[in-house]
Every structure is written in C-alpha cells, then in structure tokens.
Amino acid sequence: MLGDPRVQLITGDDTAACYRRTDDADAEERPEDYRAEPVREAYCWSNLTSGNGARALWLILLPFMVANLAHWMRPAAPPGHWAQRIYDLLVRMIALTLTVLLAAASCEVALDLTAWQCAGTTACATGKSWLVFLSPDHDGWWSAPGRRLALASVMPLLVIGFLWWLSHRTWSAYESASPPPRQPGSSRYTPHAERTALSLEGFWYGRRLVARLRAAHSTAGVLTIAAVLLAAGAKIDGGERSGAGEGGGGVLAAAGPVLSAVVIVLAAATVGVVWRTARSEAAPDDTSDRLVVRALPYAALGVLALTVVHLGWVRPGSRSDGPLPGAAAFGGIAVLQGLLVLALAVTAWVLQRTVRHDGRTALRGMGGPAVALLACAVGGVLSGGAAQRFADWIDGGATPGQAHAPIPGPPVLLSWQASVLPVLLVVVAGVAALAAVRVVVVRRRVAKDVPGLFDPGERPDERRTRRIAGTIACAGLTDAAPVLVAAVSVVTLVLGAGAVAGAWLTERAPGRATAGGPPVVHTAAGTAESLGSWLMGAGVLLLLALGRRAYRDHSARRTVGILWDVGTFWPRAAHPFAPPCYAERAVPDLTWRMATWTERFDGRLVISGHSQGSVLAAAAVWQLDLVTRSRVALLTYGSPLERLYGRWFPAYFGPPALTGLHREMDDWRNLWRFTDPIGGPIRLTCEDGRRIDEGPLRDPLAFGRSLRHPLPAQILGHGDYQADPVFEAVRAELVARLGPVPGRGRSAVAASGGLPLQGSSGRSSA
C-alpha cells in the first residue's frame, strides 16, 4: 500500500494499526522536508476480518449474520417514525426464533435421535460402543430413558455455552472501542433531512445492547433444552400411568407442571427483554444492565438443573418408544417466522411510503424482509441438514422413517423441507441462466461502443473488444442482484408454506400420504426427498469444509474475510451470536487518528479508501466534529457507497445522507469504472456545482499495443486504481485545494487505500 518494503508501525497493535514508510516516521519533526508533498500513512485492519484462522469457522453463524443485516436494511423514514420501532422489534424477534431453532436442532440430534431413539432401540444401538452403556439391554444406571436424556442434554448446552462464550469474547474485543470526544454543534449546518445515524456519537458503541441480547438469547437456548426435557418427562410419566400405573402421583407428578410454569415465566421475561432492548445511538451507553437481565441466564440454568434431576429420578419400567414429543415445534417455529416476516414486509411498506425515494432503492424497500426470510431459510436448511445426515449415519444402511427402519427419524417437516430444496435450486439455476443470457445481450450491445472509450488512434481489435465488453456486462450483474434475491425469497416463502402444510397433513393422515396417485408422482416425491436430504446435508458439510480449509489455507481465509467485510460491517443490533462487527473497532480507530492528528499539528488531511475501505472512511468522517470534518477531504475509488450500501441500506447511505456528508467536508472525489463489479458512481448533484464523480476511467488503460504499451494492458476491474494517472491528478488537486497550514507550510498524514483485506484507506495531508 505504501510502495516501500520498509514500514514502521506508528500507532495501534497487531490487530489493527497505522503504518508509515520508515523514512516518513518522524515527518512532523521535519516539516521543511514535506512542504511539497504529503506524507502517506496506511491503516490496516486485515486481522479484524481474516487474521485468525479459527474465525473462518464463523460460517456456521451465517443465518445470524444475515438476520442482523435485515435490521440495517430498513427503508429511510422521518426520524422517530412509529414504524421504525416496530421494524426493529420484528427483526429482533426473528433473530430470537433463530436461536430457538438452533437449540431445538441440537436437541433433535442429541436428545431425540441419539439418546431417545437410537439408544433405546437394540437394532440401532448394536455395534456402537459409544452407545452400549445407554442401551436398555445393558441394564446399567444410564439405561433409563430419563437419565439418557439428562446425559445427552450436555451436548446442546455446550453449543449454547460456546456461542455465549464466543459472543462475550468478541464483545469485549470489538464493541469496547469508545469514540473520541467531540466539540459541540457537529451537525448544526446539516439540514435535518440529511442527517444520518452514522454521525451519532454512540453509533459504534454497542456494549450494553449486545450484552442484553446475549443474556436473552442464552436464556432462550437453555429454556429450549429444558422444555424438550420436560416434554420427554411428560411422555414417560404418561406412558407409566397408561401402562403399569406406577410413578404417576406424588412429588414426581407435580414437579413437571411446576417446572413447566417456571419455564413459561422465564420465556415471557426473555421475550420482554428482547422487546425492550433497542439501540441507543445518540451517546455511548455505559449504564449497567438491570439485575433481572443479568440473572436470567442463571435462572434458566437453575431450572434446567432441576429438570435434569426431575427427569433422572427413578421410574421403574419406563421405556422410550417412537420419537420424542415436540416434533410440531419445528412447524411452529417455521409458521412464527413466516408471520414475523410478513409483518416486517408490511412495516417496511409503511416506512417506504412515508418518504419519496429514488428508484434505485433495492426491492423498493423490501430488502430487509427478503433478507430476513433468507436467514430463516438458511437456518432451516442447516438445522434440517444436520438432523437428516445424522439420522442417516446413525441408523446404518436403513432410511429413517421408512418401513423396517430401526428408528423413526427426524420430524416430518424436515423431510418436507428437504423435498422442496431441489425445486428452489432449480429456480436459482433458472435465474442464473437468465443472468447469463443478459450478459450475452449486454456484451453485444456494449461491444459497439467500446472503441469509443479509447483514443481514436488505437486500432480496434474484435477479440479484445469482446473481452472488454464481456467484463463490463459481467460487472453490471451486481445491479441485477435484487432480482435474484426477490426470486429466491418469493419461492422460499411459497415452498416453505407448502412444506409446513404438507407436514401437517402427513402427521394428521399418514396413510393418505402414500395412498393413491400415479406411480410417477410417488417416484418423483421420493427422489426429491432423497435428493433434498443429501443437498441439506451437503450444505452443512460444505460450510464446515470451507471453514476447515480456510483455517489451513491463508488464501481461502482471505476469501472468507471478504464475505465478512460485507456482512460484519454493521453492529450486532439484532443477534448477539452473529460474527462481530469489525467497524466498531476500525471506525473509532480512524476517527481517533484523524481527530488527534489534526488537533495536535493543526493539520489538513485527505483520507482515501478503496472498496470497503471507502465505506469505513466515510463512516469515520461522519464521526468527526464539524471543525475537524471541515479540514478533511475524501477520495474514494472502487467504492460501493451508492451502488451497494446506498441501495440496500437507504436509511443510512441514501442520497440525503451522502449529500449531508459532502456538505460538511472540504471536498470529495470518487473514481469509478464500467468494468468494476463492486464500485460505482456516487450520483450526487450538489448545489455548489462541485462534482464528486470522476469517471468512468479507462479500463484497460490502453486498447491495443503501442509504443508505450507494447503488451496488452490488463483489465483492472475492481483493483489497482492507483495505477491510473487520474488517481494521482485527483489526489494532487485535493491536496492543493486543502492548502498549507498557516505558519507551518504543508505536512501530511495519509492513509492509502488497498484491497479490503490488505487494509484501508486514506491519504491524508496537512
């Protein structure tokens, strides 16, 4: 980034830091040597996104990350609008259902399939040394169904405990960076409609919010385990009463309803905490949580311990038959998620109608509900895939749920979800085919105009023209992403509703599911179920394999890091178990560096950012007070500020917010190319006539071979903007516009943009 192998750390640590060339380390002490040029400084945050190999395993938290994104896709609306609070609440409730779904899936694998079905069946437990001591034929202390379940409950509890620990560990490392103090009146010159929440002092400080949500979600996970154990205990006691008539009275019979009532009360308190937990962004919130919030997880653990004791009590003659009760819970979770998503769509529609939006807002403001639905679908696929694959593995060569199979297998809903998955993939393949056709059509149309982008003296080459036109056409697919998201979301909603209805009908009338109908229908249904089951399991294995490869391979780890660059830019406002927000460390870092440097040296600076670095640079400038912000110029290139963030997150990066940012800065320039699939123009028209966009830049720099370019010039696309002469010219223009500091000449501090994983952003000069 700095163009020199000899660099020196100026401030920061191994996670994120600012660097300079060794020769420039003491530039402020030698201002006379830097009167004619700025001093470059680079901020590198790569270890926040891809530095730790174990961080790649966070891929299994993908549904939580996607749900968190839905919170920030809220349509722009007047501040304080009532629908904003409803929207945020609905997203938090959807996130809570994902935690319950994860806990239920863990219980399905550990409690139902392992401890209840397989360990209680001789044909399944035979040959499995790790299950022999649980088998009734062994007649050991752990052979009783209640004790088997009590022992197996350790596994889902460890899953919840691991997520709590991971969230707490990242919470103390990421959400603890406080913003710098600001001078008053930082937004007094910005019209109210052009202010954005990203300029609020407490936006990047979410310690209290994440702590409260972490307590609530941990409680929900533990209570889910307790509820499954209580349902199993009720079935065991019911079987005894209808059978031998023993163990149905006394303390044992009364303990179950009492514990169930306590679980319901704690669940209601958990929902209440999530209901009342909202972001406080006006100022950093350092207040401690109430005792009831901190005590909720411990109360849930206490209830779980009592439930384990209750379940492990001696029940002579008890045995496990069929699946565990509560299979309908998966259907209930799916229905609840569908209703919440529909309510979210209605709320988003209300918000969208309150403000006149431009036509570039993704899905006309429905991006949040669509992404929330996809989060639920991914959560269902991962949970169902894990249960299906584990059931296929544990019962040997048989197929769970079929005739002569040793175990009934997972709930029917998971089989129906597996059946509709191939249909969804066919829809995705169809959309991809339409996208390929679009690329061919656009390439032919663009090919006629490609020679006009270059100097008239360069001779056109048909093969070269097709390649450049193809690159431009492929880059334009980014703008068609809403079509893919909309198609997948609509099909997911329809197929998900069909799966729930089909599972309900199958459970009510199992004989009708196989009666009647042509043989080809039964064959197609069986094929779809088998193929979908394998695809669900393959999805789980693919994520695990990608995480394992990323742990060992640095290049693969960087690829995973690119995903986190986009998905974890936003704070954890909806789900505390989502991967941590690196911007809650990076934005305060940049803000502190710019604020302290300009105040200490009375300096001027140009902060430049490439790709995701441009988003961090803009977010950091928003956090500056008005005096400091007026001394800063912004240079972005390959920037997704308008093309991605402005379209998908209109409430925070829409045209009014970007206009307000430009109004309070010294200047802002943006470089873009037609061949860039990520970056694009800012598309702002400012009242003072100053232009922001510089482009489209020529790419490649030369069309054909020439004396200056004897070999074909590379098509740069999203990278290497600094190789274009326009970059140096625009940067020099910004530096000259800032001018020298009175009485000190001109010195500079700057951060230089690079690829998102290589660092960020900004050239500053003073």
Side-chain angles (χ1 to χ4, degrees), residues 100-101 103-109 111-113 116-117 149 223-236 321-334 387 409-414 503 507:
V100 174
L101 178 62
S106 302
C107 291
E108 174 62 29
V109 171
L111 301 183
D112 188 13
L113 295 176
W116 183 267
Q117 296 186 25
L149 292 174
L223 292 178
T224 302
I225 302 173
V228 174
L229 293 178
L230 287 172
K235 181 173 183 178
I236 294 174
D321 292 320
L324 269 180
F330 286 97
I333 293 173
V412 178
L413 176 62
L414 300 182
E507 291 175 349

Side-chain angles (χ1 to χ4, degrees), residues 394-646:
I394 202 172
D395 72 344
T399 301
Q402 300 298 326
H404 309 295
I407 60 176
V412 178
L413 176 62
L414 300 182
S415 299
W416 275 89
Q417 288 178 337
S419 300
V420 302
L421 186 59
V423 181
L424 179 61
L425 293 180
V426 169
V427 174
V428 174
V431 175
L434 292 177
V437 173
R438 180 182 183 277
V439 168
V440 174
V441 173
V442 174
R443 184 183 64 183
R444 292 178 178 176
R445 186 174 69 248
V446 171
K448 298 180 296 184
D449 301 325
V450 167
L453 301 176
F454 299 90
D455 295 336
E458 298 184 75
R459 293 179 297 177
D461 179 272
E462 183 177 353
R463 184 177 180 181
R464 179 79 160 167
T465 300
R466 286 200 306 269
R467 184 181 176 189
I468 297 173
T471 303
I472 296 175
C474 291
L477 289 178
T478 302
D479 299 319
V483 177
L484 174 62
V485 174
V488 174
S489 299
V490 171
V491 174
T492 298
L493 181 62
V494 174
L495 294 180
V500 172
W504 181 76
L505 292 175
T506 302
E507 291 175 349
R508 286 182 59 90
R512 298 180 184 178
T514 55
V520 65
V521 175
H522 295 283
T523 302
T527 303
E529 180 180 346
S530 300
L531 179 60
S533 175
W534 279 102
L535 288 174
M536 292 172 74
V540 178
L541 295 178
L542 180 62
L543 284 178
L544 294 177
L546 180 59
R548 185 172 182 271
R549 180 170 179 264
Y551 180 79
R552 298 186 175 188
D553 184 3
H554 181 69
S555 62
R557 188 156 68 246
R558 289 181 57 187
T559 302
V560 174
I562 293 175
L563 298 177
W564 294 149
D565 260 356
V566 178
T568 62
F569 168 78
W570 296 100
R572 293 185 279 195
H575 208 300
F577 297 157
C581 167
Y582 66 90
E584 289 199 281
R585 163 69 191 271
V587 172
D589 279 359
L590 288 170
T591 307
W592 272 99
R593 181 57 177 162
M594 289 189 290
T596 56
W597 187 86
T598 53
E599 180 178 354
R600 182 181 178 188
F601 300 104
D602 193 22
R604 310 290 188 269
L605 60 87
V606 176
I607 177 168
S608 75
H610 170 254
S611 191
Q612 191 69 14
S614 67
V615 183
L616 286 179
V621 172
W622 259 312
Q623 286 288 300
L624 296 172
D625 61 83
L626 184 61
V627 175
T628 305
R629 199 181 306 176
S630 64
R631 299 178 177 181
V632 176
L634 179 61
L635 174 58
T636 56
Y637 42 103
S639 174
L641 274 171
E642 192 280 336
R643 191 177 189 183
L644 295 180
Y645 283 82

Side-chain angles (χ1 to χ4, degrees), residues 337-409:
Q337 288 177 340
L339 294 176
L340 289 174
V341 169
L342 291 177
L344 189 68
V346 173
T347 307
W349 177 78
V350 172
L351 288 172
Q352 181 75 2
R353 289 176 57 88
T354 59
V355 177
R356 181 179 180 182
H357 294 267
D358 62 336
R360 290 185 57 80
T361 301
L363 299 180
R364 297 185 179 274
M366 292 293 118
V371 169
L373 180 62
L374 293 182
C376 298
V378 174
V381 167
L382 292 180
S383 58
Q388 289 276 10
R389 286 300 95 216
F390 185 82
D392 284 342
W393 171 74
I394 202 172
D395 72 344
T399 301
Q402 300 298 326
H404 309 295
I407 60 176

Side-chain angles (χ1 to χ4, degrees), residues 180-277:
R182 299 160 112 184
Q183 300 180 18
S186 61
S187 298
R188 59 184 178 182
Y189 295 134
T190 303
H192 197 271
E194 295 179 1
R195 298 176 188 175
T196 176
L198 275 78
S199 63
L200 298 178
E201 190 175 356
F203 187 88
W204 300 106
Y205 193 73
R207 285 178 60 87
R208 179 176 178 269
L209 174 75
V210 177
R212 290 175 62 88
L213 289 178
R214 183 176 64 248
H217 282 248
S218 301
T219 303
V222 175
L223 292 178
T224 302
I225 302 173
V228 174
L229 293 178
L230 287 172
K235 181 173 183 178
I236 294 174
D237 293 339
E240 291 179 357
R241 286 193 297 270
S242 61
E246 299 177 357
V251 178
L252 205 61
V258 172
L259 290 174
S260 299
V262 175
V263 168
I264 293 174
V265 171
L266 290 178
T270 301
V271 173
V273 170
V274 175
W275 186 289
R276 295 177 58 86
T277 299

